[in-house]
Amino acid sequence: MNSSAVSTILMFVVLIGLMYFMMIRPQKKQQQKRQDMLSNMKKGDEVITLGRLHGVIDTINTEDHTITLDCDGIFLTFEQSAIAQIVSQTPKSTTTVSKESAVEKPVEKSVDEKSDKEDKNND
């Protein structure tokens, strides 16, 4: 075997390795991430379909791999693969009361009440 044949084989090996790390590996990672997203969907999640239709998941049929979306009262059935992204997920816990909502804020007086008070003080 001469050196030109070895260098040609080496170039092909390098080219295949470069193709793997530049194209195939990132695509597999992206595919795995999408599969995780689709498997973690649940009722009440807001989603966007591939056709850019926004809706809320009403039911998920794991046997048929379909999802029924509630789009402002209109129920549409899609394949799970038609979901492009999850906009917001429903919280796992029930409702919680934050400290901010329990604090009462003082009511500001209107401009008329302030001017009436100033008029009384001037009299």
Side-chain angles (χ1 to χ4, degrees):
M1 233 175 161
N2 58 23
S3 66
S4 67
V6 172
S7 65
T8 305
I9 292 173
L10 186 61
M11 285 293 281
F12 278 121
V13 169
V14 169
L15 183 64
I16 290 171
L18 188 63
M19 266 182 36
Y20 175 76
F21 282 105
M22 297 298 283
M23 297 173 67
I24 298 170
R25 190 167 180 249
Q27 185 178 6
K28 283 186 178 183
K29 279 186 171 184
Q30 186 178 21
Q31 189 177 15
Q32 181 63 39
K33 185 178 176 183
R34 179 169 167 71
Q35 188 62 38
D36 291 342
M37 177 196 71
L38 292 176
S39 64
N40 290 330
M41 288 188 302
K42 57 191 168 301
K43 183 177 179 175
D45 289 350
E46 294 180 34
V47 296
I48 300 175
T49 65
L50 292 173
R52 299 296 170 219
L53 181 73
H54 296 244
V56 178
I57 296 176
D58 186 57
T59 58
I60 299 174
N61 186 341
T62 55
E63 292 175 4
D64 295 336
H65 301 289
T66 59
I67 294 176
T68 304
L69 295 182
D70 179 4
C71 303
D72 293 331
I74 300 171
F75 294 90
L76 303 170
T77 303
F78 291 93
E79 292 287 326
Q80 281 185 349
S81 60
I83 303 301
Q85 72 182 64
I86 298 175
V87 178
S88 65
Q89 295 185 332
T90 55
K92 292 182 181 179
S93 63
T94 57
T95 57
T96 58
V97 177
S98 65
K99 292 180 182 179
E100 293 177 9
S101 63
V103 176
E104 289 185 28
K105 295 182 180 179
V107 178
E108 293 185 20
K109 295 182 179 180
S110 67
V111 176
D112 293 335
E113 290 177 7
K114 289 180 182 177
S115 63
D116 288 342
K117 207 175 213 183
E118 288 175 3
D119 289 340
K120 287 181 183 179
N121 289 342
N122 290 339
D123 287 338

PDB file of all heavy atoms in Angstrom, residues 45-74:
ATOM      1  N   ASP A  45     -51.844  22.009  29.514  1.00  0.00           N
ATOM      2  CA  ASP A  45     -50.678  22.697  28.952  1.00  0.00           C
ATOM      3  C   ASP A  45     -51.095  23.515  27.735  1.00  0.00           C
ATOM      4  O   ASP A  45     -51.893  23.072  26.922  1.00  0.00           O
ATOM      5  CB  ASP A  45     -49.602  21.701  28.513  1.00  0.00           C
ATOM      6  CG  ASP A  45     -48.910  21.023  29.671  1.00  0.00           C
ATOM      7  OD1 ASP A  45     -49.118  21.456  30.820  1.00  0.00           O
ATOM      8  OD2 ASP A  45     -48.152  20.071  29.425  1.00  0.00           O
ATOM      9  N   GLU A  46     -50.530  24.720  27.619  1.00  0.00           N
ATOM     10  CA  GLU A  46     -50.760  25.538  26.438  1.00  0.00           C
ATOM     11  C   GLU A  46     -49.704  25.166  25.411  1.00  0.00           C
ATOM     12  O   GLU A  46     -48.521  25.150  25.714  1.00  0.00           O
ATOM     13  CB  GLU A  46     -50.656  27.020  26.774  1.00  0.00           C
ATOM     14  CG  GLU A  46     -51.748  27.498  27.695  1.00  0.00           C
ATOM     15  CD  GLU A  46     -51.611  28.974  28.017  1.00  0.00           C
ATOM     16  OE1 GLU A  46     -51.166  29.743  27.140  1.00  0.00           O
ATOM     17  OE2 GLU A  46     -51.938  29.346  29.137  1.00  0.00           O
ATOM     18  N   VAL A  47     -50.150  24.869  24.175  1.00  0.00           N
ATOM     19  CA  VAL A  47     -49.233  24.414  23.136  1.00  0.00           C
ATOM     20  C   VAL A  47     -49.455  25.191  21.843  1.00  0.00           C
ATOM     21  O   VAL A  47     -50.478  25.844  21.657  1.00  0.00           O
ATOM     22  CB  VAL A  47     -49.391  22.899  22.864  1.00  0.00           C
ATOM     23  CG1 VAL A  47     -49.023  22.077  24.078  1.00  0.00           C
ATOM     24  CG2 VAL A  47     -50.797  22.567  22.416  1.00  0.00           C
ATOM     25  N   ILE A  48     -48.468  25.080  20.951  1.00  0.00           N
ATOM     26  CA  ILE A  48     -48.564  25.635  19.609  1.00  0.00           C
ATOM     27  C   ILE A  48     -48.316  24.474  18.640  1.00  0.00           C
ATOM     28  O   ILE A  48     -47.356  23.725  18.808  1.00  0.00           O
ATOM     29  CB  ILE A  48     -47.532  26.744  19.371  1.00  0.00           C
ATOM     30  CG1 ILE A  48     -47.748  27.889  20.356  1.00  0.00           C
ATOM     31  CG2 ILE A  48     -47.616  27.263  17.935  1.00  0.00           C
ATOM     32  CD1 ILE A  48     -46.698  28.978  20.260  1.00  0.00           C
ATOM     33  N   THR A  49     -49.182  24.333  17.642  1.00  0.00           N
ATOM     34  CA  THR A  49     -49.015  23.262  16.667  1.00  0.00           C
ATOM     35  C   THR A  49     -48.050  23.703  15.572  1.00  0.00           C
ATOM     36  O   THR A  49     -47.641  24.866  15.517  1.00  0.00           O
ATOM     37  CB  THR A  49     -50.361  22.890  16.022  1.00  0.00           C
ATOM     38  OG1 THR A  49     -50.834  24.002  15.260  1.00  0.00           O
ATOM     39  CG2 THR A  49     -51.394  22.486  17.060  1.00  0.00           C
ATOM     40  N   LEU A  50     -47.696  22.777  14.686  1.00  0.00           N
ATOM     41  CA  LEU A  50     -46.818  23.100  13.563  1.00  0.00           C
ATOM     42  C   LEU A  50     -47.460  24.122  12.629  1.00  0.00           C
ATOM     43  O   LEU A  50     -46.768  24.878  11.967  1.00  0.00           O
ATOM     44  CB  LEU A  50     -46.461  21.828  12.784  1.00  0.00           C
ATOM     45  CG  LEU A  50     -45.582  20.839  13.536  1.00  0.00           C
ATOM     46  CD1 LEU A  50     -45.433  19.543  12.747  1.00  0.00           C
ATOM     47  CD2 LEU A  50     -44.229  21.436  13.829  1.00  0.00           C
ATOM     48  N   GLY A  51     -48.776  24.170  12.589  1.00  0.00           N
ATOM     49  CA  GLY A  51     -49.502  25.151  11.784  1.00  0.00           C
ATOM     50  C   GLY A  51     -49.694  26.470  12.496  1.00  0.00           C
ATOM     51  O   GLY A  51     -50.439  27.328  12.039  1.00  0.00           O
ATOM     52  N   ARG A  52     -49.056  26.646  13.658  1.00  0.00           N
ATOM     53  CA  ARG A  52     -49.091  27.859  14.499  1.00  0.00           C
ATOM     54  C   ARG A  52     -50.463  28.125  15.105  1.00  0.00           C
ATOM     55  O   ARG A  52     -50.846  29.257  15.346  1.00  0.00           O
ATOM     56  CB  ARG A  52     -48.603  29.091  13.723  1.00  0.00           C
ATOM     57  CG  ARG A  52     -47.191  28.952  13.244  1.00  0.00           C
ATOM     58  CD  ARG A  52     -46.275  28.868  14.431  1.00  0.00           C
ATOM     59  NE  ARG A  52     -44.928  28.495  14.010  1.00  0.00           N
ATOM     60  CZ  ARG A  52     -44.152  27.677  14.695  1.00  0.00           C
ATOM     61  NH1 ARG A  52     -44.568  27.144  15.794  1.00  0.00           N
ATOM     62  NH2 ARG A  52     -42.955  27.387  14.279  1.00  0.00           N
ATOM     63  N   LEU A  53     -51.212  27.066  15.380  1.00  0.00           N
ATOM     64  CA  LEU A  53     -52.490  27.169  16.067  1.00  0.00           C
ATOM     65  C   LEU A  53     -52.231  27.039  17.555  1.00  0.00           C
ATOM     66  O   LEU A  53     -51.568  26.102  17.995  1.00  0.00           O
ATOM     67  CB  LEU A  53     -53.438  26.058  15.596  1.00  0.00           C
ATOM     68  CG  LEU A  53     -54.824  26.058  16.218  1.00  0.00           C
ATOM     69  CD1 LEU A  53     -55.637  27.210  15.634  1.00  0.00           C
ATOM     70  CD2 LEU A  53     -55.517  24.754  15.944  1.00  0.00           C
ATOM     71  N   HIS A  54     -52.734  27.978  18.337  1.00  0.00           N
ATOM     72  CA  HIS A  54     -52.549  27.967  19.789  1.00  0.00           C
ATOM     73  C   HIS A  54     -53.763  27.321  20.444  1.00  0.00           C
ATOM     74  O   HIS A  54     -54.894  27.585  20.064  1.00  0.00           O
ATOM     75  CB  HIS A  54     -52.406  29.396  20.316  1.00  0.00           C
ATOM     76  CG  HIS A  54     -51.192  30.090  19.813  1.00  0.00           C
ATOM     77  ND1 HIS A  54     -50.185  30.483  20.647  1.00  0.00           N
ATOM     78  CD2 HIS A  54     -50.791  30.446  18.568  1.00  0.00           C
ATOM     79  CE1 HIS A  54     -49.230  31.059  19.950  1.00  0.00           C
ATOM     80  NE2 HIS A  54     -49.582  31.057  18.672  1.00  0.00           N
ATOM     81  N   GLY A  55     -53.508  26.487  21.458  1.00  0.00           N
ATOM     82  CA  GLY A  55     -54.602  25.832  22.152  1.00  0.00           C
ATOM     83  C   GLY A  55     -54.148  25.248  23.475  1.00  0.00           C
ATOM     84  O   GLY A  55     -52.970  25.280  23.829  1.00  0.00           O
ATOM     85  N   VAL A  56     -55.098  24.727  24.219  1.00  0.00           N
ATOM     86  CA  VAL A  56     -54.855  24.102  25.521  1.00  0.00           C
ATOM     87  C   VAL A  56     -55.210  22.623  25.391  1.00  0.00           C
ATOM     88  O   VAL A  56     -56.259  22.279  24.844  1.00  0.00           O
ATOM     89  CB  VAL A  56     -55.714  24.766  26.619  1.00  0.00           C
ATOM     90  CG1 VAL A  56     -55.510  24.090  27.950  1.00  0.00           C
ATOM     91  CG2 VAL A  56     -55.403  26.245  26.714  1.00  0.00           C
ATOM     92  N   ILE A  57     -54.341  21.764  25.907  1.00  0.00           N
ATOM     93  CA  ILE A  57     -54.574  20.326  25.800  1.00  0.00           C
ATOM     94  C   ILE A  57     -55.778  19.940  26.646  1.00  0.00           C
ATOM     95  O   ILE A  57     -55.839  20.251  27.838  1.00  0.00           O
ATOM     96  CB  ILE A  57     -53.341  19.534  26.242  1.00  0.00           C
ATOM     97  CG1 ILE A  57     -52.177  19.813  25.308  1.00  0.00           C
ATOM     98  CG2 ILE A  57     -53.638  18.038  26.285  1.00  0.00           C
ATOM     99  CD1 ILE A  57     -50.876  19.154  25.721  1.00  0.00           C
ATOM    100  N   ASP A  58     -56.755  19.284  26.007  1.00  0.00           N
ATOM    101  CA  ASP A  58     -57.947  18.818  26.710  1.00  0.00           C
ATOM    102  C   ASP A  58     -57.816  17.337  27.043  1.00  0.00           C
ATOM    103  O   ASP A  58     -58.067  16.940  28.179  1.00  0.00           O
ATOM    104  CB  ASP A  58     -59.196  19.070  25.860  1.00  0.00           C
ATOM    105  CG  ASP A  58     -60.456  18.729  26.607  1.00  0.00           C
ATOM    106  OD1 ASP A  58     -60.667  19.304  27.698  1.00  0.00           O
ATOM    107  OD2 ASP A  58     -61.224  17.867  26.120  1.00  0.00           O
ATOM    108  N   THR A  59     -57.449  16.516  26.063  1.00  0.00           N
ATOM    109  CA  THR A  59     -57.247  15.093  26.315  1.00  0.00           C
ATOM    110  C   THR A  59     -56.033  14.613  25.534  1.00  0.00           C
ATOM    111  O   THR A  59     -55.700  15.152  24.481  1.00  0.00           O
ATOM    112  CB  THR A  59     -58.464  14.247  25.876  1.00  0.00           C
ATOM    113  OG1 THR A  59     -58.706  14.459  24.490  1.00  0.00           O
ATOM    114  CG2 THR A  59     -59.694  14.578  26.680  1.00  0.00           C
ATOM    115  N   ILE A  60     -55.395  13.562  26.065  1.00  0.00           N
ATOM    116  CA  ILE A  60     -54.265  12.920  25.403  1.00  0.00           C
ATOM    117  C   ILE A  60     -54.590  11.435  25.267  1.00  0.00           C
ATOM    118  O   ILE A  60     -54.859  10.774  26.263  1.00  0.00           O
ATOM    119  CB  ILE A  60     -52.965  13.101  26.203  1.00  0.00           C
ATOM    120  CG1 ILE A  60     -52.625  14.589  26.350  1.00  0.00           C
ATOM    121  CG2 ILE A  60     -51.821  12.358  25.549  1.00  0.00           C
ATOM    122  CD1 ILE A  60     -51.438  14.863  27.250  1.00  0.00           C
ATOM    123  N   ASN A  61     -54.574  10.928  24.051  1.00  0.00           N
ATOM    124  CA  ASN A  61     -54.828   9.521  23.786  1.00  0.00           C
ATOM    125  C   ASN A  61     -53.486   8.872  23.451  1.00  0.00           C
ATOM    126  O   ASN A  61     -52.966   9.034  22.347  1.00  0.00           O
ATOM    127  CB  ASN A  61     -55.814   9.360  22.625  1.00  0.00           C
ATOM    128  CG  ASN A  61     -56.222   7.927  22.413  1.00  0.00           C
ATOM    129  OD1 ASN A  61     -55.555   6.999  22.868  1.00  0.00           O
ATOM    130  ND2 ASN A  61     -57.332   7.747  21.715  1.00  0.00           N
ATOM    131  N   THR A  62     -52.925   8.140  24.411  1.00  0.00           N
ATOM    132  CA  THR A  62     -51.604   7.548  24.220  1.00  0.00           C
ATOM    133  C   THR A  62     -51.635   6.344  23.277  1.00  0.00           C
ATOM    134  O   THR A  62     -50.632   6.034  22.651  1.00  0.00           O
ATOM    135  CB  THR A  62     -50.988   7.131  25.564  1.00  0.00           C
ATOM    136  OG1 THR A  62     -51.883   6.262  26.246  1.00  0.00           O
ATOM    137  CG2 THR A  62     -50.695   8.344  26.420  1.00  0.00           C
ATOM    138  N   GLU A  63     -52.779   5.669  23.170  1.00  0.00           N
ATOM    139  CA  GLU A  63     -52.882   4.510  22.284  1.00  0.00           C
ATOM    140  C   GLU A  63     -52.838   4.923  20.812  1.00  0.00           C
ATOM    141  O   GLU A  63     -52.161   4.298  20.003  1.00  0.00           O
ATOM    142  CB  GLU A  63     -54.159   3.729  22.567  1.00  0.00           C
ATOM    143  CG  GLU A  63     -54.155   3.054  23.925  1.00  0.00           C
ATOM    144  CD  GLU A  63     -55.478   2.383  24.234  1.00  0.00           C
ATOM    145  OE1 GLU A  63     -56.374   2.378  23.368  1.00  0.00           O
ATOM    146  OE2 GLU A  63     -55.611   1.865  25.355  1.00  0.00           O
ATOM    147  N   ASP A  64     -53.588   5.981  20.473  1.00  0.00           N
ATOM    148  CA  ASP A  64     -53.651   6.449  19.085  1.00  0.00           C
ATOM    149  C   ASP A  64     -52.637   7.551  18.794  1.00  0.00           C
ATOM    150  O   ASP A  64     -52.552   8.019  17.661  1.00  0.00           O
ATOM    151  CB  ASP A  64     -55.052   6.979  18.763  1.00  0.00           C
ATOM    152  CG  ASP A  64     -56.101   5.890  18.827  1.00  0.00           C
ATOM    153  OD1 ASP A  64     -55.735   4.710  18.664  1.00  0.00           O
ATOM    154  OD2 ASP A  64     -57.282   6.221  19.041  1.00  0.00           O
ATOM    155  N   HIS A  65     -51.927   8.003  19.822  1.00  0.00           N
ATOM    156  CA  HIS A  65     -50.958   9.106  19.713  1.00  0.00           C
ATOM    157  C   HIS A  65     -51.629  10.373  19.182  1.00  0.00           C
ATOM    158  O   HIS A  65     -51.123  11.035  18.285  1.00  0.00           O
ATOM    159  CB  HIS A  65     -49.769   8.722  18.832  1.00  0.00           C
ATOM    160  CG  HIS A  65     -49.024   7.531  19.347  1.00  0.00           C
ATOM    161  ND1 HIS A  65     -48.255   7.586  20.471  1.00  0.00           N
ATOM    162  CD2 HIS A  65     -48.955   6.257  18.898  1.00  0.00           C
ATOM    163  CE1 HIS A  65     -47.731   6.400  20.702  1.00  0.00           C
ATOM    164  NE2 HIS A  65     -48.144   5.566  19.764  1.00  0.00           N
ATOM    165  N   THR A  66     -52.795  10.695  19.755  1.00  0.00           N
ATOM    166  CA  THR A  66     -53.513  11.904  19.364  1.00  0.00           C
ATOM    167  C   THR A  66     -53.725  12.791  20.582  1.00  0.00           C
ATOM    168  O   THR A  66     -53.692  12.331  21.726  1.00  0.00           O
ATOM    169  CB  THR A  66     -54.878  11.580  18.733  1.00  0.00           C
ATOM    170  OG1 THR A  66     -55.661  10.841  19.676  1.00  0.00           O
ATOM    171  CG2 THR A  66     -54.723  10.798  17.444  1.00  0.00           C
ATOM    172  N   ILE A  67     -53.963  14.057  20.297  1.00  0.00           N
ATOM    173  CA  ILE A  67     -54.213  15.057  21.340  1.00  0.00           C
ATOM    174  C   ILE A  67     -55.415  15.873  20.899  1.00  0.00           C
ATOM    175  O   ILE A  67     -55.517  16.256  19.732  1.00  0.00           O
ATOM    176  CB  ILE A  67     -52.999  15.978  21.518  1.00  0.00           C
ATOM    177  CG1 ILE A  67     -51.825  15.187  22.068  1.00  0.00           C
ATOM    178  CG2 ILE A  67     -53.306  17.148  22.417  1.00  0.00           C
ATOM    179  CD1 ILE A  67     -50.563  15.985  22.199  1.00  0.00           C
ATOM    180  N   THR A  68     -56.314  16.153  21.844  1.00  0.00           N
ATOM    181  CA  THR A  68     -57.440  17.034  21.570  1.00  0.00           C
ATOM    182  C   THR A  68     -57.136  18.381  22.205  1.00  0.00           C
ATOM    183  O   THR A  68     -56.877  18.467  23.401  1.00  0.00           O
ATOM    184  CB  THR A  68     -58.755  16.460  22.135  1.00  0.00           C
ATOM    185  OG1 THR A  68     -58.948  15.148  21.589  1.00  0.00           O
ATOM    186  CG2 THR A  68     -59.925  17.343  21.778  1.00  0.00           C
ATOM    187  N   LEU A  69     -57.162  19.432  21.371  1.00  0.00           N
ATOM    188  CA  LEU A  69     -56.883  20.783  21.843  1.00  0.00           C
ATOM    189  C   LEU A  69     -58.173  21.574  21.948  1.00  0.00           C
ATOM    190  O   LEU A  69     -59.059  21.462  21.098  1.00  0.00           O
ATOM    191  CB  LEU A  69     -55.943  21.511  20.880  1.00  0.00           C
ATOM    192  CG  LEU A  69     -54.536  20.972  20.734  1.00  0.00           C
ATOM    193  CD1 LEU A  69     -53.746  21.844  19.782  1.00  0.00           C
ATOM    194  CD2 LEU A  69     -53.844  20.882  22.060  1.00  0.00           C
ATOM    195  N   ASP A  70     -58.253  22.405  22.987  1.00  0.00           N
ATOM    196  CA  ASP A  70     -59.353  23.342  23.161  1.00  0.00           C
ATOM    197  C   ASP A  70     -58.862  24.694  22.660  1.00  0.00           C
ATOM    198  O   ASP A  70     -58.006  25.318  23.261  1.00  0.00           O
ATOM    199  CB  ASP A  70     -59.749  23.423  24.638  1.00  0.00           C
ATOM    200  CG  ASP A  70     -60.880  24.397  24.893  1.00  0.00           C
ATOM    201  OD1 ASP A  70     -61.423  24.971  23.926  1.00  0.00           O
ATOM    202  OD2 ASP A  70     -61.212  24.596  26.084  1.00  0.00           O
ATOM    203  N   CYS A  71     -59.406  25.125  21.526  1.00  0.00           N
ATOM    204  CA  CYS A  71     -59.027  26.409  20.924  1.00  0.00           C
ATOM    205  C   CYS A  71     -60.227  27.340  21.027  1.00  0.00           C
ATOM    206  O   CYS A  71     -61.042  27.418  20.111  1.00  0.00           O
ATOM    207  CB  CYS A  71     -58.606  26.225  19.479  1.00  0.00           C
ATOM    208  SG  CYS A  71     -57.268  25.058  19.275  1.00  0.00           S
ATOM    209  N   ASP A  72     -60.346  28.015  22.160  1.00  0.00           N
ATOM    210  CA  ASP A  72     -61.460  28.935  22.423  1.00  0.00           C
ATOM    211  C   ASP A  72     -62.816  28.263  22.238  1.00  0.00           C
ATOM    212  O   ASP A  72     -63.694  28.768  21.559  1.00  0.00           O
ATOM    213  CB  ASP A  72     -61.369  30.174  21.537  1.00  0.00           C
ATOM    214  CG  ASP A  72     -60.173  31.035  21.875  1.00  0.00           C
ATOM    215  OD1 ASP A  72     -59.759  31.018  23.053  1.00  0.00           O
ATOM    216  OD2 ASP A  72     -59.654  31.719  20.972  1.00  0.00           O
ATOM    217  N   GLY A  73     -62.973  27.090  22.815  1.00  0.00           N
ATOM    218  CA  GLY A  73     -64.248  26.387  22.771  1.00  0.00           C
ATOM    219  C   GLY A  73     -64.407  25.441  21.602  1.00  0.00           C
ATOM    220  O   GLY A  73     -65.384  24.716  21.518  1.00  0.00           O
ATOM    221  N   ILE A  74     -63.471  25.443  20.680  1.00  0.00           N
ATOM    222  CA  ILE A  74     -63.504  24.526  19.545  1.00  0.00           C
ATOM    223  C   ILE A  74     -62.497  23.422  19.821  1.00  0.00           C
ATOM    224  O   ILE A  74     -61.330  23.693  20.070  1.00  0.00           O
ATOM    225  CB  ILE A  74     -63.157  25.255  18.232  1.00  0.00           C
ATOM    226  CG1 ILE A  74     -64.169  26.360  17.983  1.00  0.00           C
ATOM    227  CG2 ILE A  74     -63.124  24.278  17.072  1.00  0.00           C
ATOM    228  CD1 ILE A  74     -63.800  27.271  16.847  1.00  0.00           C
TER     229      ILE A  74
END
